[in-house]
Amino acid sequence: MVGTVGAVRVGVVGGSIAGCAGALAAARAAPEATVVVFERSGGELRDRGAGIGIQHERFAELVEAGFLDASLPATPGHSRDWFTRDGVSADGGGDSGLGKRIWRQPFPFNAYNWGHLYRSLRGRLPGRVEFRGDARVVSVAACESGAGAGASVTVADGSVEHFDLLLGADGYRSVVREAMFPGVVPDYAGYLCWRGLSDFGELKGLPQDSFFTVGFNHGHLVAYPIPADDGRRHFNWVLYSAVPPELTGNLNTATSIPPGAVSHAVLDFMDSLLTRELPAAWAAAIRKTARENVFIQPIYDFAAPAFAKSRMLLLGDAGAVSRPHAAAGTVKAMQDAASLLDLWRTTTDLDELAARYDAARAPAGAAVTALARRIGAAQVLETPDWAAFGEAEFATWLGAQMQLPDGTEMGGRRL
Ligand SMILES: Cc1cc2nc3c(=O)[nH]c(=O)nc-3n(C[C@H](O)[C@H](O)[C@H](O)COP(=O)(O)OP(=O)(O)OC[C@H]3O[C@@H](n4cnc5c(N)ncnc54)[C@H](O)[C@@H]3O)c2cc1C
């Protein structure tokens, strides 16, 4: 059926980055359409990941496409310093507590605060986009053909609504994806990360304006300063390591664990890791985050077999989750929407739109997932002897992980 744009009803499940970007794309592409966003959370979405690194070129593309604001507060970055524990810094600076600096990698990324990015994106939604909070979609059913082609959603309050096009932007445990591909779920990568924030101004002796990584046996720390709400800077850190399953319970089924719900055993494991593996200054910086504010995220990944089926489309983590090492998930979510907008401007046939969207975005999702899996294997599951690296060897080792032959690289693919 060829959808008549003026009459189109677009539903969006999920109101985070992918959901707001998808709703924005729909509202721009079809100015007469009704656009309804269903977000299960009732309050403001604030804490979906504290810091976000975005590659300079990917950021500029998304500004150009009208999804990001060029003036979004950022900590500017150009380099990533790689450290490991051996007591003496590589540049002869003595034991600074930072460990040995293995290499300063050119790294064209800025660091952003997730909350700033989200609010800026959501602020772009025109008033006619109906954003419904506290609206959890419990099931989705495809309506395959005829005048009623599309999908219907059932909300937790029992109401049912039909849409000509449904965007699944409901994250890695997507109900839209479940309706499209029952049983296709993320795989546990075999490790998790602890995350936290502290006041960067209170930390002594850390390098400024840089991304940092500290490698250790079966894991690494990623840290960088991000702009806080009050003009200060936060120290944003993510510590990856495998944890014995007897401490975590079964993580094979995708789950999320909010701050305050992390078990003492898993926090104690982190503490022993800090003592055993990290140079003193980095361990001290992490310990500035109160234990009750540390949260964990088990690491999952997967790519859906297709990004569209009938009139249902997947955006963001609902379609493909990449391990965070590629620093590409937020970018990919907005790129999915930007691509949808571009395609929609060339066709009003919703079936054709869905097919073309799938062709454009499913390969990108699969590629970023593959790249991040490769980085995770090298930097968590099969770590090298970090301290033994010379600069040139390290650059070669790292370079081999950071790019796929099709041009997919850390930070994502070109839009
Ligand atoms: C440790 C870590 C570090 C990261 N660092 C970076 C980085 O540096 N750069 C980068 O680009 N990306 C990064 N990412 C990835 C990025 O955070 C995600 O890819 C991105 O947030 C996905 O956005 P999304 O909107 O697709 O999904 P989500 O943020 O998961 O949003 C899904 C939304 O759907 C809602 N929802 C779910 N189910 C329902 C339902 N049934 N009904 C209604 N609403 C529902 C949820 O409440 C939520 O608001 C990182 C991720 C992690 C874990």
Side-chain angles (χ1 to χ4, degrees):
M1 171 207 164
V2 177
T4 308
V5 169
V8 163
R9 281 176 52 78
V10 182
V12 183
V13 185
S16 181
I17 302 290
C20 288
L24 187 58
R28 284 191 184 147
E32 307 298 325
T34 298
V35 183
V36 181
V37 179
F38 298 90
E39 167 55 50
R40 72 176 167 202
S41 172
E44 192 187 348
L45 300 181
R46 289 186 64 87
D47 299 317
R48 272 327 137 61
I52 294 290
I54 301 185
Q55 213 237 33
H56 297 165
E57 285 178 19
R58 301 292 82 79
F59 187 88
E61 288 164 1
L62 288 163
V63 169
E64 175 75 23
F67 288 83
L68 281 179
D69 184 349
S71 64
L72 197 66
T75 305
H78 300 279
S79 58
R80 181 178 186 183
D81 286 341
W82 292 78
F83 293 89
T84 195
R85 180 170 179 153
D86 87 347
V88 179
S89 68
D91 53 11
D95 189 354
S96 57
L98 296 172
K100 168 186 172 179
R101 195 174 79 190
I102 310 172
W103 192 40
R104 167 160 286 194
Q105 176 195 2
F107 198 65
F109 284 66
N110 285 353
Y112 301 90
N113 181 314
W114 187 94
H116 296 166
L117 195 156
Y118 174 71
R119 287 196 291 276
S120 156
L121 186 59
R122 182 150 171 205
R124 285 174 175 252
L125 293 182
R128 66 190 181 77
V129 170
E130 194 186 329
F131 191 103
R132 293 188 200 159
D134 214 358
R136 184 168 63 87
V137 171
V138 291
S139 65
V140 171
C143 313
E144 292 293 349
S145 60
S152 63
V153 303
T154 303
V155 185
D157 64 8
S159 58
V160 179
E161 287 189 54
H162 179 269
F163 295 95
D164 302 298
L165 191 70
L166 187 68
L167 309 184
D170 47 345
Y172 65 120
R173 291 184 286 174
S174 167
V175 292
V176 181
R177 187 185 65 239
E178 181 59 24
M180 294 164 69
F181 307 108
V184 170
V185 291
D187 296 320
Y188 178 50
Y191 55 94
L192 55 75
C193 68
W194 296 260
R195 305 184 75 180
L197 290 173
S198 60
D199 184 346
F200 194 67
E202 285 185 7
L203 303 177
K204 304 288 172 241
L206 296 189
Q208 302 287 309
D209 294 342
S210 181
F211 288 82
F212 322 112
T213 304
V214 185
F216 55 85
N217 197 19
H218 293 303
H220 65 274
L221 166 72
V222 173
Y224 47 92
I226 60 167
D229 283 343
D230 58 6
R232 289 184 299 174
R233 290 197 294 170
H234 282 144
F235 177 68
N236 169 73
W237 59 267
V238 186
L239 181 75
Y240 298 94
S241 172
V243 178
E246 58 273 21
L247 297 187
T248 59
N250 179 9
L251 295 176
N252 290 331
T253 304
T255 185
S256 73
I257 298 151
V262 184
S263 73
H264 286 298
V266 171
L267 289 171
D268 290 346
F269 186 87
M270 180 187 91
D271 211 47
S272 62
L273 206 61
L274 297 181
T275 305
R276 195 177 65 243
E277 302 284 359
L278 284 196
W282 299 107
I286 289 178
R287 289 193 172 112
K288 288 277 184 191
T289 306
R291 262 169 83 101
E292 63 273 20
N293 293 333
V294 172
F295 59 109
I296 66 169
Q297 272 170 303
I299 303 300
Y300 296 98
D301 67 12
F302 89 106
F307 271 32
K309 191 172 180 188
S310 310
R311 297 277 190 84
M312 297 180 287
L313 276 54
L314 298 174
L315 283 77
D317 281 6
V321 179
S322 55
R323 302 182 194 182
H325 318 298
T330 303
V331 167
K332 185 179 71 60
M334 288 183 280
Q335 289 182 333
D336 288 344
S339 170
L340 179 66
L341 172 57
D342 271 355
L343 295 169
W344 207 329
R345 283 176 169 150
T346 64
T347 180
T348 54
D349 181 325
L350 297 180
D351 297 309
E352 186 185 334
L353 176 65
R356 289 174 63 183
Y357 174 78
D358 175 40
R361 295 310 296 166
V368 171
T369 301
L371 178 76
R373 198 171 282 161
R374 180 199 284 195
I375 300 173
Q379 297 181 20
V380 181
L381 296 173
E382 300 150 18
T383 44
D385 179 356
W386 303 87
F389 275 126
E391 282 201 352
E393 282 172 286
F394 182 78
T396 304
W397 173 80
L398 191 62
Q401 296 157 37
M402 291 292 169
Q403 202 166 26
L404 296 179
D406 68 359
T408 306
E409 59 181 359
M410 174 137 191
R413 284 186 15 154
R414 195 173 288 277
L415 182 59

